Amino acid sequence: GISCLQSYKGAQLFQAVGLDKEVISKCFTGCKFVLNGAGFNIFSQDAMELHKLAFPERPQPMLVDEEVEELDDFGEYHFRSIHETEIHMNTPDVIYKMQEAAQNNSTDAYKMFSTWQNKITEQTEIRGQLDFREEECVPVPLNEVEPAVEIVKRFCTGAASFGSISDEAHRAMAIAMNRIGGKSNTGEGGEDPMRFTQLEPGEFEAGAV
């Protein structure tokens, strides 16, 4: 979103993740942190490696024409082969299975999607390194568990503007949340007044905030 740097400067609203305590002490004094991580030595290595990429000892191959040289694309922004570049949380095959599961209401496709996504999460996210200590847990009787129809009423979609998702996706999320009794957010830009028109008895495309 659009924000003012001055409103965040020195506010220490965040918790540091993946930074060494020496870096925290010197550069972000007082900032809360739980996990250690990269230190100045890592930053130094990254800086030297990036410098070598920008100014290699050998000439860069001419990828466009004789006048233009390009840096290698390691897939930090656009997906590339996962065996050669930066791993991404959202890969084409995972997205395909998610779409297949949603479009065809396929349980098998969803199971495959969740299996692949969980595997990527293990490799890319801190939460992927955590596990349940089931041997120390006492199961809660099912009759004490809140019904699913009540749990979903606390679901809420994030505020996403039309710059990040399409109008179709915006409407679909609003309809889904309205059906289950959850909440959705219009994000930036508000909603088309036509979305307040009832589609079917009790069904709207308008967000419920």
Side-chain angles (χ1 to χ4, degrees):
I2 301 172
S3 60
C4 178
L5 175 61
Q6 187 175 1
S7 65
Y8 288 95
K9 188 175 181 180
Q12 295 191 345
L13 299 174
F14 310 104
Q15 183 183 80
V17 177
L19 287 178
D20 186 76
K21 57 184 179 182
E22 182 183 359
V23 177
I24 297 293
S25 176
K26 185 175 183 61
C27 304
F28 304 98
T29 306
C31 185
K32 302 294 183 182
F33 72 99
V34 177
L35 299 175
N36 279 331
F40 290 115
N41 59 326
I42 301 297
F43 299 153
S44 174
Q45 292 176 18
D46 286 347
M48 294 301 294
E49 290 176 5
L50 291 172
H51 185 273
K52 289 180 181 179
L53 291 173
F55 304 96
E57 296 180 1
R58 58 178 176 76
Q60 287 278 19
M62 302 301 181
L63 301 180
V64 179
D65 54 44
E66 295 183 356
E67 302 297 327
V68 179
E69 295 181 356
E70 289 189 353
L71 295 175
D72 292 330
D73 185 348
F74 291 100
E76 292 184 355
Y77 304 106
H78 297 284
F79 179 83
R80 295 294 183 266
S81 172
I82 60 175
H83 302 294
E84 301 175 0
T85 58
E86 186 82 9
I87 187 172
H88 285 238
M89 281 288 293
N90 299 317
T91 62
D93 49 359
V94 170
I95 295 298
Y96 170 75
K97 281 301 173 184
M98 179 183 68
Q99 292 174 334
E100 181 184 351
Q103 292 170 357
N104 302 326
N105 196 25
S106 170
T107 302
D108 291 337
Y110 181 80
K111 287 181 178 179
M112 188 167 292
F113 154 73
S114 61
T115 299
W116 291 353
Q117 186 67 76
N118 289 338
K119 189 64 177 178
I120 293 176
T121 301
E122 291 177 3
Q123 300 172 332
T124 58
E125 297 284 341
I126 293 175
R127 58 189 170 91
Q129 305 299 310
L130 304 179
D131 202 357
F132 292 102
R133 304 182 64 172
E134 297 179 354
E135 71 280 359
E136 298 184 12
C137 298
V138 178
V140 176
L142 286 179
N143 59 359
E144 296 182 14
V145 178
E146 193 174 8
V149 293
E150 296 298 323
I151 294 175
V152 296
K153 291 179 181 179
R154 295 195 292 274
F155 285 11
C156 180
T157 65
S161 68
F162 291 137
S164 58
I165 61 173
S166 66
D167 178 60
E168 180 184 12
H170 224 275
R171 293 170 184 262
M173 289 193 296
I175 290 174
M177 290 297 104
N178 287 336
R179 285 179 179 176
I180 66 175
K183 299 290 187 293
S184 58
N185 196 320
T186 62
E188 300 165 10
E191 293 178 325
D192 187 326
M194 290 298 295
R195 290 175 63 171
F196 292 92
T197 303
Q198 187 169 245
L199 303 176
E200 296 178 6
E203 186 157 290
F204 295 85
E205 293 179 321
V209 181

